[in-house]
């Protein structure tokens, strides 16, 4: 496997197969997926990487979220879940034509425990002076991890009728007003008497009618 796909691919694939403590039958059926992930990672070096590039808010949020998730999963030996999150982050990074150098550096640091050889090479190409192994681990900002919007469910008599992406932190009155603007909710309450309006902050609105 090392001869065909490289040591990083083998190492990472073994950790991606499932929870560390679980029994897993050995199979190389899906190893190409990990190989392609590493190839996409290497191609990031072809992008326009500079220190003066602004990072989109959504990407910065995902970056900090990934730092938090990978840190937690590493501490709990849940390597497969950590790798899955890194794959999500890579997909988002790939969409950018130009990237802030710090974003790439952070991604490489997070990937290093799983694929040490390719990340050390990338780190050197980015101008890293010290061995990546001795660099500090990325820290995340909880405020930057918070979502600006949340999916709120609209119910009528306890049955799901619609849902919408609303700003986080709306008051109960504002959430109920948004629910009543839904055409699907309007169909269910039109011509009926509203008995009660229930709102659970950032989660759901339930309008009881008779």
């Amino acid at each position: 496997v090392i001869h065909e796909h490289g040591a990083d691919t083998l190492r990472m694939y073994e950790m991606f197969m499932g929870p560390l403590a679980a029994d897993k039958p050995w199979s190389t059926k899906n190893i190409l997926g990990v190989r392609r992930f590493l190839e996409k990672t290497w191609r990031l070096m072809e992008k326009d990487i500079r220190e003066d590039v602004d990072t989109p808010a959504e990407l910065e949020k995902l970056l900090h979220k990934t730092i938090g998730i990978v840190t937690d999963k590493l501490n709990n030996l849940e390597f497969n879940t950590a790798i899955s999150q890194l794959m999500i982050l890579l997909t988002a990074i790939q969409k950018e034509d130009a990237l802030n150098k710090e974003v790439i550096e952070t991604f490489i640091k997070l990937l290093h425990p799983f694929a040490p050889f390719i990340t050390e090479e990338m780190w050197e190409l980015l101008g890293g002076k010290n061995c990546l192994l001795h660099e500090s681990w990325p820290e995340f900002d909880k405020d930057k991890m918070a979502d600006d919007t949340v999916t709120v469910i609209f119910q009528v008599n306890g049955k799901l009728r619609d849902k919408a992406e609303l700003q986080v932190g709306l008051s109960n009155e504002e959430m109920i007003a948004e629910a009543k603007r839904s055409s699907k909710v309007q169909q269910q309450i039109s011509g009926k008497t509203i008995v009660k309006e229930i709102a659970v902050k950032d989660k759901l609105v339930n309008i009881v009618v008779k």
Side-chain angles (χ1 to χ4, degrees):
V1 172
I2 292 175
H3 178 72
E4 292 184 16
H5 303 290
D8 276 340
T9 300
L10 174 61
R11 175 189 177 94
M12 194 169 176
Y13 179 62
E14 287 185 315
M15 290 187 278
F16 188 55
M17 289 176 69
L20 185 66
D23 292 333
K24 298 173 289 291
W26 173 252
S27 170
T28 57
K29 179 180 178 182
N30 299 314
I31 200 168
L32 287 178
V34 174
R35 169 75 186 196
R36 283 193 289 269
F37 168 80
L38 292 175
E39 289 173 349
K40 292 175 182 177
T41 296
W42 180 257
R43 286 199 292 272
L44 291 179
M45 302 305 296
E46 300 173 359
K47 288 185 175 290
D48 181 11
I49 303 173
R50 291 179 280 118
E51 295 181 352
D52 60 347
V53 176
D54 292 330
T55 302
E58 285 301 313
L59 179 56
E60 185 172 27
K61 184 190 303 179
L62 179 59
L63 181 65
H64 283 268
K65 181 179 180 180
T66 302
I67 295 172
I69 291 175
V70 173
T71 302
D72 176 68
K73 300 306 179 182
L74 273 175
N75 289 333
N76 291 290
L77 303 182
E78 298 174 11
F79 304 138
N80 57 316
T81 310
I83 292 171
S84 294
Q85 183 62 32
L86 286 170
M87 290 178 171
I88 293 172
L89 178 59
L90 176 63
T91 299
I93 291 176
Q94 283 182 298
K95 296 177 182 178
E96 303 298 321
D97 294 324
L99 290 163
N100 188 290
K101 186 179 179 182
E102 187 177 354
V103 172
I104 295 294
E105 289 178 339
T106 301
F107 175 74
I108 290 172
K109 287 180 179 180
L110 294 174
L111 180 59
H112 184 257
F114 310 101
F117 297 105
I118 188 175
T119 48
E120 285 286 2
E121 185 74 14
M122 293 174 71
W123 183 254
E124 184 177 339
L125 290 173
L126 286 172
K129 301 301 181 182
N130 301 317
C131 177
L132 183 55
L133 182 64
H134 301 298
E135 290 290 327
S136 60
W137 185 253
E139 296 183 0
F140 60 89
D141 186 334
K142 288 185 177 180
D143 292 335
K144 293 181 178 179
M145 293 169 63
D147 290 328
D148 298 325
T149 61
V150 64
T151 302
V152 176
I153 293 172
F154 299 152
Q155 298 177 337
V156 177
N157 291 343
K159 293 184 178 181
L160 175 64
R161 297 302 179 185
D162 202 359
K163 57 186 177 181
E165 285 292 317
L166 302 181
Q167 182 179 339
V168 171
L170 291 180
S171 67
N172 288 354
E173 293 74 17
E174 290 172 320
M175 289 173 60
I176 292 170
E178 289 291 342
K180 289 180 177 178
R181 290 192 185 99
S182 165
S183 59
K184 294 180 181 178
V185 172
Q186 290 175 7
Q187 291 174 5
Q188 297 297 320
I189 66 176
S190 179
K192 298 179 181 177
T193 302
I194 296 178
V195 178
K196 187 183 295 185
E197 297 173 339
I198 304 167
V200 179
K201 193 173 185 63
D202 294 333
K203 290 187 177 180
L204 66 85
V205 173
N206 183 28
I207 301 175
V208 181
V209 298
K210 66 176 183 179

